[in-house]
Amino acid sequence: MIDTVLERFLRYVVIDTQSDPASSAQPSTEKQKDLGRLLVDELLAIGLSDAHLDEHGNVYATIPANVEKPVPVICFCSHMDTAPDFTGTNVRPQIVRNYQGGDIRLTGDTSRVIRVADNPELNAQIGHDIVTTDGTTLLGADDKAGVAEIMTAAQYLMDHPEIRRGKIRILFTTDEEIGRGADKVDLQKLGASFGYTLDGSTVGEIENETFSADGVDIAINGVAIHPGTAKGKMENAIKIASEIVARLPKDIAPETTEGKQGFIHPVDISGSMEKAHISLIIRDFVEEGLKTKETLLEELTKEVMKAYPGSTFTFTIKEQYRNMKVALDRHPMVVDNLVEAVRRIGLTPELHSIRGGTDGSRLSFMGLPCPNIFTGGHAYHSPLEWVSRQDMEKSVETIVELVKVWEERTPG
Ligand SMILES: [Zn+2]
């Protein structure tokens, strides 16, 4: 088990699987299937006989149960694509063996340095083997570390039939980085009761909370008129929209909030004299907080509109995703069992919230409660990304231990 997760990781990161937000296909890039096909071959080779790639590039496979007890079917999930933020072509992984502290200067672009000051987690890595890029690409530990960990755990479980287990489903998705990872997942076909994404970071961290998210569209119809004869009549929609944006509360913005605070954030504005349009995103950890912000935004819009009696507006709220904790709290054993597994392998479990969403938050509300497990990766989406072999091994151990906990805690 010790070397395998590193070997697998090094094999997967050199395959370019960058997703593309400009494409409307799924997968957004055909090359994501290159990794999918390799994984299917490897899953078949370790004895998961139903492993296959579907038309959207998702990989499904099953580790069969070896007990009679009705252990709930759990799923382990990672995404195969890498972020569009930085190139993933010609990844040349480098290994700093037996790291002794200090900054890591990357060999292919020496202007790039992984600094301890920016990565205090490096202080916990003394003696570890750290994988980096050569500085010219991202590494893709997000999320190929997760993929390698699930693959390694699958092989370990198949090689150790004495470990009692329920049925385990494996799912590798495409296009997570462009927000479409859960779109084409067939939960019926997956047939799992609960899931775990391996897409987190520092060892020991469990993410069981995400933002709740809505989008708001404000469409303004002004009064357009020839500027030469506009006095007392024109109501320029561009100016109305600008006024609304200028009045957004400055202390409820992404740039002024942190921790559990939510925000209102304009993401797009366009317009002409006649019509203007503002798109905003609303974020909070509780639904009540979303409502308060939406009311505030609507009131503020009405307030601005009062000065423009000939103009009208529409205010549309669209639900985007919900804090996964709401779904997880209905099934406390999903996180409890994970906490127990992490503790058993000698780590201190830490529950974290994410100021964002994950595939897990989408899946949680599609019916698959799904917290996020650490993979050991750091500095995602950048050429300074890194992960250590020892941390990846901890993630593999966590998966194996979690399988045991589910079996043990099922009465039967
Ligand atoms: Zn990821």
Side-chain angles (χ1 to χ4, degrees):
M1 173 157 108
I2 301 257
D3 276 315
T4 317
V5 71
L6 178 61
E7 281 165 14
R8 287 187 185 280
F9 180 69
L10 296 175
R11 192 152 70 227
Y12 304 154
V13 292
V14 297
I15 301 172
D16 183 1
T17 56
Q18 192 177 46
S19 49
D20 175 11
S23 158
S24 60
Q26 182 142 8
S28 62
T29 51
E30 275 297 307
K31 61 189 176 186
Q32 293 179 60
K33 289 185 181 170
D34 296 344
L35 177 57
R37 277 186 285 265
L38 173 71
L39 294 173
V40 167
D41 288 346
E42 293 188 7
L43 287 163
L44 291 171
I46 61 178
L48 278 55
S49 57
D50 69 337
H52 67 281
L53 188 72
D54 77 1
E55 63 194 291
H56 306 293
N58 294 316
V59 174
Y60 293 83
T62 309
I63 303 174
N66 61 10
V67 295
E68 296 285 313
K69 278 203 247 187
V71 184
V73 178
I74 58 170
C75 168
F76 292 103
C77 171
S78 288
H79 63 92
M80 296 179 286
D81 63 316
T82 62
D85 312 46
F86 206 85
T87 179
T89 307
N90 292 325
V91 173
R92 282 177 287 264
Q94 312 288 309
I95 305 178
V96 180
R97 293 201 189 266
N98 190 13
Y99 172 68
Q100 289 303 308
D103 297 345
I104 302 172
R105 190 171 293 277
L106 300 179
T107 52
D109 177 349
T110 51
S111 72
R112 300 213 189 260
V113 182
I114 303 174
R115 294 185 196 283
V116 177
D118 303 325
N119 294 266
E121 303 89 354
L122 278 173
N123 292 316
Q125 298 289 336
I126 307 300
H128 287 191
D129 301 329
I130 299 178
V131 188
T132 72
T133 68
D134 68 353
T136 61
T137 65
L138 52 64
L139 179 60
D142 178 10
D143 190 15
K144 287 165 184 168
V147 173
E149 288 154 7
I150 294 173
M151 291 294 292
T152 308
Q155 172 158 30
Y156 188 83
L157 289 167
M158 292 301 282
D159 290 349
H160 292 81
E162 74 280 7
I163 297 174
R164 297 161 64 82
R165 58 171 198 253
K167 182 168 154 185
I168 315 287
R169 291 286 272 155
I170 290 173
L171 172 67
F172 298 127
T173 58
T174 57
D175 291 340
E176 190 272 351
E177 295 291 1
I178 55 173
R180 301 180 207 155
D183 284 10
K184 304 286 181 187
V185 171
D186 184 343
L187 284 187
Q188 204 77 28
K189 168 173 157 175
L190 190 67
S193 299
F194 308 110
Y196 296 92
T197 49
L198 275 110
D199 196 13
S201 186
T202 306
V203 289
E205 283 179 10
I206 295 167
E207 285 158 341
N208 68 329
E209 252 199 280
T210 57
F211 269 147
S212 281
D214 281 348
V216 170
D217 280 319
I218 304 174
I220 299 145
N221 276 300
V223 179
I225 213 148
H226 188 282
T229 55
K231 187 167 182 191
K233 297 177 202 137
M234 181 193 285
E235 296 180 9
N236 188 335
I238 297 173
K239 291 188 178 169
I240 302 173
S242 308
E243 225 175 296
I244 294 169
V245 173
R247 286 208 203 177
L248 292 176
K250 295 196 171 30
D251 56 344
I252 313 181
E255 62 270 32
T256 57
T257 52
E258 62 185 353
K260 288 287 179 72
Q261 301 168 313
F263 57 72
I264 303 173
H265 176 46
V267 290
D268 191 62
I269 180 164
S270 61
S272 61
M273 172 170 43
E274 195 180 355
K275 277 186 172 130
H277 180 264
I278 314 166
S279 295
L280 304 101
I281 59 172
I282 317 289
R283 297 291 184 263
D284 205 283
F285 284 93
V286 291
E287 206 126 336
E288 186 60 34
L290 289 180
K291 295 267 144 42
T292 317
K293 289 176 189 59
E294 285 153 10
T295 307
L296 189 152
L297 183 58
E298 191 165 8
E299 290 306 315
L300 176 163
T301 306
K302 281 183 188 158
E303 206 38 55
V304 170
M305 294 303 294
K306 274 187 191 159
Y308 303 95
S311 302
T312 57
F313 78 101
T314 58
F315 188 92
T316 318
I317 300 169
K318 279 195 212 105
E319 180 172 320
Q320 292 178 330
Y321 56 85
R322 286 292 175 264
N323 186 341
M324 65 157 80
K325 194 165 189 297
V326 176
L328 290 174
D329 282 350
R330 282 185 226 127
H331 307 278
M333 69 277 204
V334 179
V335 172
D336 287 354
N337 288 357
L338 176 55
V339 164
E340 173 66 13
V342 172
R343 207 173 272 142
R344 283 192 194 178
I345 65 157
L347 295 173
T348 307
E350 276 181 52
L351 296 178
H352 272 241
S353 51
I354 317 172
R355 287 176 66 81
T358 64
D359 262 4
S361 47
R362 291 273 312 285
L363 291 169
S364 291
F365 280 86
M366 286 162 65
L368 187 72
C370 199
N372 193 23
I373 305 180
F374 54 88
T375 63
H378 294 276
Y380 286 163
H381 303 192
S382 88
L384 304 178
E385 209 181 341
W386 59 273
V387 64
S388 79
R389 169 175 73 84
Q390 286 80 354
D391 285 358
M392 287 195 286
E393 287 166 6
K394 283 292 176 199
S395 295
V396 176
E397 285 178 51
T398 301
I399 298 171
V400 172
E401 205 56 45
L402 183 53
V403 167
K404 293 185 198 170
V405 173
W406 271 100
E407 196 278 338
E408 283 171 28
R409 289 185 167 181
T410 304

